[in-house]
């Protein structure tokens, strides 16, 4: 993650101000989020406020689907047991159209929450493991998880900006100047002038 553009200048506080905030009408995910919160509470865990605000907002919950250039789509799961540590849970929130990459919110008993991705659909990992040594399957699934963002809003910001940059670079108006938010992100990859 060291090669990614730094986000110190971006105000990430779970309010999603860079997407006009989390206000407005409630999304169709409200009941699912409430059930997920209840199940997590029984395990001594909770969804981060930013994640609940994002998927609870009608205009925010569609952002990934609308901006994705690779046909990724939001698909919330209930809490899934972690193959890595006892008491931790994962909540799937995004997948690509061919399930090559699936993103999960990882919730630790310590209260830490971050984003991981995997090529494994954790909900169905059990069915293909039938007849296989359980410990080997658990280890394979655990090793498939890769941490990709320290917070959900950091993930959301990078996902949106990177997809917007791709669209800008591959659109008919690709020669027009980038908006400041995209320019500052892209400048990280621009080689220094000699």
């Amino acid at each position: 993650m060291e090669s990614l553009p730094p986000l110190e200048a971006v105000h990430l506080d779970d309010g999603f101000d860079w997407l006009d905030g989390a206000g407005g009408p409630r999304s169709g995910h409200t009941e699912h989020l409430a059930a997920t919160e209840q199940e997590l509470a029984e395990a001594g865990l909770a969804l981060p406020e930013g994640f609940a605000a994002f998927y609870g907002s009608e205009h925010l919950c569609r952002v990934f689907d609308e901006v994705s250039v690779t046909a990724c789509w939001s698909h919330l799961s209930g809490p899934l047991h972690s193959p890595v540590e006892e008491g931790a849970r994962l909540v799937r929130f995004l997948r690509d159209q061919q399930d090559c990459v699936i993103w999960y919110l990882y919730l630790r008993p310590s209260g830490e929450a971050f984003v991981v991705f995997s090529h494994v659909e954790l909900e169905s990992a059990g069915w293909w493991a039938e007849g296989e040594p359980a410990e080997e399957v658990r280890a394979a699934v655990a090793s498939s998880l890769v941490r990709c963002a320290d917070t959900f809003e950091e993930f959301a910001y990078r996902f949106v900006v990177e997809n917007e940059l791709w669209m800008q670079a591959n659109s008919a108006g690709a020669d027009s100047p980038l908006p400041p938010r995209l320019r500052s992100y892209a400048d990280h990859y621009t080689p220094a002038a000699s």
Side-chain angles (χ1 to χ4, degrees):
M1 292 193 313
E2 295 94 29
S3 66
L4 294 172
L7 298 180
E8 288 85 19
V10 181
H11 187 64
L12 302 179
D13 64 356
D14 288 338
F16 297 91
D17 293 336
W18 53 276
L19 287 173
D20 297 327
R26 303 300 298 156
S27 77
H29 297 293
T30 303
E31 288 181 28
H32 178 83
L33 288 169
T36 299
E37 284 278 21
Q38 182 176 348
E39 194 174 334
L40 287 170
E42 292 168 6
L45 302 167
L47 289 175
E49 287 181 30
F51 184 89
F54 185 90
Y55 278 105
S57 166
E58 182 60 34
H59 81 277
L60 289 180
C61 75
R62 296 179 303 201
V63 167
F64 294 150
D65 304 24
E66 292 170 352
V67 75
S68 176
V69 296
T70 56
C72 293
W73 51 287
S74 293
H75 190 218
L76 295 177
S77 72
L80 307 167
H81 289 270
S82 169
V84 178
E85 64 185 309
E86 190 67 34
R89 300 289 187 275
L90 294 99
V91 176
R92 182 195 61 239
F93 65 91
L94 186 67
R95 61 192 329 147
D96 82 343
Q97 69 174 352
Q98 297 176 334
D99 283 347
C100 295
V101 182
I102 303 165
W103 290 270
Y104 299 90
L105 182 65
Y106 193 103
L107 305 166
R108 302 184 86 183
S110 66
E112 182 184 15
F114 50 90
V115 176
V116 298
F117 70 86
S118 175
H119 66 280
V120 176
E121 167 52 81
L122 296 178
E123 282 182 305
S124 48
W127 67 262
W128 56 261
E130 287 184 29
E132 300 293 328
E135 188 54 33
E136 287 179 26
V137 171
R138 188 208 59 75
V141 172
S143 69
S144 79
L145 299 175
V146 178
R147 186 173 179 150
C148 62
D150 291 334
T151 69
F152 176 74
E153 191 173 13
E154 175 190 335
F155 171 84
Y157 186 85
R158 291 189 191 283
F159 187 89
V160 170
V161 167
E162 290 168 8
N163 279 275
E164 287 177 344
L165 279 169
W166 188 95
M167 284 187 277
Q168 189 83 15
N170 292 284
S171 69
D175 294 336
S176 62
L178 291 172
R181 176 170 60 124
L182 301 184
R183 168 57 38 213
S184 65
Y185 199 89
D187 282 348
H188 177 77
Y189 298 108
T190 305
S194 39

